[in-house]
Amino acid sequence: MSLNRRSKNITEGVARAPNRSMYYAMGYEQGDFAKPMVGVANGHSTITPCNSGLQKLADAAVEGLKDAGANPQIFGTPTISDGMAMGTEGMKYSLVSREVISDCVETCVGGQWMDGVIVIGGCDKNMPGGLMGMLRANVPAIYVYGGTILPGHYKGQDLNIVSVFEAVGQYSAGNMSEEDFCQIERRAIPGSGSCGGMYTANTMSSAFEALGISLPYSSTMANVHDEKVVSTKESARVLVEAIKKDLKPRDIVTKKAIENAVAVIMATGGSTNAVLHFLAIAHASGVEWTIDDFERVRKKVPVLCDLKPSGKYLAVDLHRAGGIPAVMKVLLKAGLLHGDCITITGKTVAETLADVPDLSPDQDVIRSIDKPMYAEGHLAILKGNLSPEGCVAKITGLKNPVMTGPARVFDDEQSALAAIMAKKIAAGDVMVLRYLGPKGGPGMPEMLAPTGALIGQGLGESVGLVTDGRFSGGTWGMVVGHVAPEAYAGGNIALVQEGDSITIDAHTLTLQLNVSDEELARRRANWKAPAPRYTRGVLAKFAMCASSASSGAVLDKFE
């Protein structure tokens, strides 16, 4: 394949000359037009350590493609650092960047009529955005994750980005010295790579490996290690073979493959953001998948891995213990994976896992199926009059995932954080952070600053936090996000008043505002949607077009 895709649309002879001349200007020879033209979507950026180590991978992809007989065509994709934007107005651009990245991939692959694409990304939205673009373009494609970060160290403890957010709460509570606080801030991020726990980036990379759209073992490698470069070159070779076979993303990302990915998300204790992103990925792939499917998978798949944020270990520890193939092998043997799903290598999941060794007794990162961390998955879908379309709660690591308490209502993140820092939030309170959904935020900003501060003050399990916004993959505690319908769209979360009784019950999968229907109807009659926060630019476009969180907050759900 090569100019093959172009040849179907370009008249032979003279009409092809302008098309070719542009390539000759870049050093192509006549023989190059018999080779596949393969895009390299390069997410390298000095904005964030998640992406600052990607250029060497893009270089390796180019080299691998050339070695395999293809012509690489490099283009860029943007990124937003969630960790840097957290707690600021910039956080509103994070989810928006998922759509921008997907548009970049689809536009460049389609506009330049590429025969295949290798997408390289690091930070959280790079992965769902990249895969959504791959699925829309639907030419042979493979995802290369930039790799995780190594842990920082201070006073004998491993550190990561969440250590800093929790240190803010500890310092404000008077439980940490200024010297320790400053040292944690300086030492938590030692170099390039994405945040080290089973946070959103590592959750999505692990899920992509389970989907079969990335190579085995690639999702838990560290960016700074040489094996990441070697894996990238191999990814390029595998992609060229997929081009020859015409193996496309929508052939791989089927409903059964998505179920495999969600099973691995549950088994590894992954991020709440995976729910939002896989709803969007399913939409891009044309697969029928709803928020209720996550609950169906959760009930049958146990949590097998002891990983941060609620566990002990980081992604590099998971890699040493056998990585995602080891987790998948446990699930497959237990009948919890579809072994017949095809992967980008051309092998099925079962064929890929056939030679993966059983769990080593010398590690305790991955548990056996009969001794799990938790008997059921951790991402529960709650419903009730406060979220009739569903919302997401991360219920692992909690002694008692049930509480009823008085609402403490905030219409923005900053005032909520200020109340926590001023110690105005007490055990038993249920904080309600609203007008932070896809339309209201806009962009569903993440609430790591408030949740990190609560944990740092020792309130992680005794204070509830309910929001129509999102949470960082590093969040844990009595938290419920993605409440839908959102406040801006007139959801009942907009009608909550200070002091109202709210029940969060992960056992009965309930999120309930304990106010009568008659009172809610009275409040609704007096409610008026606020003016949009933005009327121009990308945030305004996102607010205008975004679907509900319960359908992935996508921008092209027109039916």
Side-chain angles (χ1 to χ4, degrees):
M1 206 182 281
S2 60
L3 219 50
N4 289 3
R5 292 188 78 216
R6 297 168 177 80
S7 297
K8 295 175 183 176
N9 291 272
I10 301 173
T11 304
E12 295 293 330
V14 177
R16 286 176 59 179
N19 180 277
R20 287 182 172 179
S21 66
M22 302 292 281
Y23 289 96
Y24 284 134
M26 296 186 291
Y28 281 58
E29 302 293 340
Q30 186 171 357
D32 288 326
F33 296 112
K35 301 174 182 178
M37 302 289 190
V38 180
V40 178
N42 182 7
H44 173 79
S45 170
T46 57
I47 286 174
T48 169
C50 304
N51 290 53
S52 64
L54 298 189
Q55 187 58 50
K56 65 182 180 182
L57 304 185
D59 294 342
V62 167
E63 184 179 347
L65 289 169
K66 288 180 177 178
D67 290 347
N71 284 323
Q73 297 180 323
I74 306 167
F75 61 93
T77 61
T79 195
I80 298 296
S81 170
D82 289 16
M84 292 176 175
M86 203 72 67
T88 73
E89 196 75 1
M91 188 65 223
K92 295 178 180 179
Y93 288 87
S94 171
L95 185 60
V96 174
S97 75
R98 183 189 74 180
E99 304 304 312
V100 176
I101 292 165
S102 61
D103 288 350
C104 283
V105 173
E106 180 189 4
T107 299
C108 289
V109 171
Q112 296 307 125
W113 210 238
M114 295 171 182
D115 298 310
V117 63
I118 180 168
V119 181
I120 305 171
C123 202
D124 296 6
K125 308 311 171 296
N126 292 189
M127 275 153 288
L131 180 53
M132 289 160 64
M134 289 157 58
L135 287 162
R136 291 182 201 162
N138 203 35
V139 299
I142 192 168
Y143 200 96
V144 171
Y145 176 46
T148 189
I149 202 168
L150 297 177
H153 300 283
Y154 181 61
K155 290 188 173 179
Q157 291 189 336
D158 285 349
L159 301 175
N160 61 86
I161 184 63
V162 177
S163 305
V164 183
F165 284 94
E166 293 182 1
V168 171
Q170 290 176 292
Y171 179 64
S172 69
N175 297 326
M176 178 179 288
S177 70
E178 183 175 0
E179 172 65 15
D180 285 346
F181 175 74
C182 291
Q183 289 298 324
I184 288 171
E185 180 185 31
R186 290 169 184 160
R187 296 168 184 259
I189 309 296
S192 61
S194 297
C195 299
M198 193 47 68
Y199 310 145
T200 304
N202 285 328
T203 296
M204 296 307 295
S205 70
S206 299
F208 281 16
E209 187 177 324
L211 271 178
I213 205 72
S214 296
L215 291 189
Y217 297 102
S218 65
S219 67
T220 50
M221 294 174 178
N223 175 261
V224 297
H225 289 164
D226 291 342
E227 64 178 346
K228 191 74 245 186
V229 173
V230 174
S231 176
T232 302
K233 289 186 70 174
E234 175 63 10
S235 295
R237 186 197 67 78
V238 166
L239 175 59
V240 174
E241 291 301 310
I243 292 171
K244 293 175 183 177
K245 299 171 186 173
D246 200 27
L247 179 59
K248 299 185 178 77
R250 289 186 209 166
D251 300 326
I252 296 169
V253 184
T254 63
K255 184 167 186 175
K256 290 200 295 185
I258 290 176
E259 189 164 317
N260 284 350
V262 174
V264 166
I265 290 164
M266 296 295 178
T268 55
S271 167
T272 53
N273 283 310
V275 175
L276 189 78
H277 296 326
F278 265 93
L279 288 167
I281 288 165
H283 176 72
S285 64
V287 169
E288 187 175 331
W289 185 268
T290 72
I291 195 168
D292 294 322
D293 286 309
F294 292 94
E295 184 60 31
R296 174 175 58 82
V297 176
R298 183 189 75 84
K299 288 179 179 177
K300 66 180 182 179
V301 178
V303 178
L304 299 176
C305 299
D306 190 4
L307 297 169
K308 289 183 181 296
S310 59
K312 292 191 296 185
Y313 295 107
L314 297 170
V316 289
D317 302 307
L318 175 60
H319 191 61
R320 283 191 288 266
I324 294 303
V327 178
M328 293 179 69
K329 185 71 173 277
V330 174
L331 294 175
L332 182 68
K333 290 175 69 175
L336 297 173
L337 286 187
H338 299 288
D340 57 340
C341 290
I342 197 70
T343 72
I344 187 62
T345 65
K347 293 182 178 180
T348 65
V349 167
E351 289 169 341
T352 301
L353 298 177
D355 296 327
V356 171
D358 291 332
L359 292 180
S360 168
D362 298 328
Q363 61 81 39
D364 62 347
V365 183
I366 308 168
R367 303 285 188 91
S368 61
I369 198 73
D370 58 333
K371 296 180 180 178
M373 295 286 297
Y374 304 96
E376 294 182 338
H378 63 300
L379 299 180
I381 305 302
L382 310 187
K383 292 187 177 182
N385 69 350
L386 199 48
S387 187
E389 291 180 14
C391 55
V392 186
K394 184 185 282 189
I395 61 175
T396 51
L398 298 174
K399 296 183 181 71
N400 181 25
V402 179
M403 73 175 297
T404 296
R408 303 296 307 280
V409 182
F410 303 90
D411 288 349
D412 58 69
E413 177 188 4
Q414 288 71 31
S415 61
L417 180 61
I420 297 169
M421 300 300 284
K423 300 183 181 179
K424 295 180 179 179
I425 303 300
D429 286 345
V430 178
M431 299 183 71
V432 176
L433 280 63
R434 64 189 180 189
Y435 294 105
L436 295 166
K439 294 180 178 295
M444 289 188 81
E446 293 181 348
M447 302 294 109
L448 181 57
T451 58
L454 286 172
I455 290 168
Q457 290 189 7
L459 299 173
E461 295 199 55
S462 58
V463 170
L465 196 154
V466 176
T467 181
D468 51 7
R470 296 184 294 129
F471 293 112
S472 163
T475 296
W476 70 275
M478 197 68 179
V479 297
V480 182
H482 308 198
V483 168
E486 62 175 292
Y488 188 85
N492 282 346
I493 189 172
L495 309 180
V496 181
Q497 294 182 359
E498 187 81 6
D500 283 348
S501 171
I502 292 176
T503 296
I504 305 169
D505 190 335
H507 294 319
T508 61
L509 303 178
T510 301
L511 179 65
Q512 191 73 14
L513 174 61
N514 301 311
V515 172
S516 70
D517 292 342
E518 293 76 15
E519 173 61 15
L520 288 177
R522 186 189 67 77
R523 294 180 188 181
R524 181 168 299 283
N526 295 321
W527 177 81
K528 182 180 179 181
R533 298 180 194 267
Y534 297 86
T535 57
R536 293 289 186 275
V538 68
L539 290 177
K541 287 189 285 187
F542 189 92
M544 178 69 69
C545 299
S547 72
S548 169
S550 64
S551 58
V554 297
L555 303 188
D556 59 348
K557 189 174 175 62
F558 303 122
E559 67 276 6

